[in-house]
Amino acid sequence: MQHSWRFLIIHVTVLLALLLTVTPLPTMVKLFRPDWPLLVLCYWVLALPHRISIGTAFAYGFLVDVLVGTVLGINAFGYSLIAFIIAANHLKIRNFSVLQQSLLIGLLLAFYHLLVFWGSHFLNGVYFRAAYLWPVLTGMIVWPYIFWFLRRTRRHFKVQ
């Protein structure tokens, strides 16, 4: 497999995560939907910070803004900030166990959700609800599976 095709695997996985984001779900289930694109981007920034970093996270965050219908730039800013934090500390985070990484991802997801809430509250007057943080819990739960699946994919296709 050529080098450019291997690099495409990264973007295919993020696009699949974007599809999971816009897949219609019942209202009760939708409250618990993890932030699939952000979780996948977190993995790729952690695994390959020289390939996927702040600019890519900003572009995919902007795409999430367009797909979901939020104020343009809110998710893009949040995605790029989380990508910066992970890229700046990727060597430390790699040494954590998957469960420790899951806790850290939970903190980053909570920070992201609070950032998006503050921006939405400032621009649209949205009010906080506790259910707003359910994706943080589900993101922490699915992180080990995303990590193991994407690591296996990266090794299978020799993405570097």
Side-chain angles (χ1 to χ4, degrees), residues 44-59:
W44 288 117
V45 171
L46 184 61
L48 303 170
H50 60 282
R51 292 262 184 207
I52 302 297
S53 193
I54 301 165
T56 309
F58 184 87

Side-chain angles (χ1 to χ4, degrees), residues 1 5 43-44 51 62 70-71 105 127:
M1 187 178 278
W5 288 104
Y43 172 80
W44 288 117
R51 292 262 184 207
F62 192 80
T70 57
V71 175
I105 290 295
Y127 291 101

Side-chain angles (χ1 to χ4, degrees), residues 56-91:
T56 309
F58 184 87
Y60 281 117
F62 192 80
L63 194 55
V64 168
D65 284 329
V66 171
L67 290 173
V68 176
T70 57
V71 175
L72 287 180
I74 286 186
N75 285 304
F77 175 69
Y79 277 32
S80 57
L81 192 58
I82 298 301
F84 170 75
I85 292 169
I86 291 176
N89 298 298
H90 75 279
L91 292 175

Side-chain angles (χ1 to χ4, degrees), residues 117-128:
F117 165 73
W118 287 329
S120 299
H121 178 71
F122 178 71
L123 295 171
N124 294 336
V126 174
Y127 291 101
F128 186 78

Side-chain angles (χ1 to χ4, degrees), residues 21 32 37 41 47 58 66 73 94 103 107 129 144:
T21 299
F32 298 95
L41 280 169
F58 184 87
V66 171
R94 283 184 188 172
L103 291 174
L107 287 172
R129 295 178 305 151

Side-chain angles (χ1 to χ4, degrees), residues 4-46:
S4 62
W5 288 104
R6 290 179 185 156
F7 186 64
L8 247 153
I9 296 295
I10 296 169
H11 297 290
V12 167
T13 57
V14 177
L15 289 174
L16 288 173
L18 286 169
L19 284 174
L20 287 173
T21 299
V22 295
T23 303
L25 293 174
T27 305
M28 279 306 292
V29 178
K30 192 185 297 186
L31 291 174
F32 298 95
R33 182 191 329 235
D35 300 305
W36 296 112
L38 184 56
L39 290 168
V40 171
L41 280 169
C42 284
Y43 172 80
W44 288 117
V45 171
L46 184 61

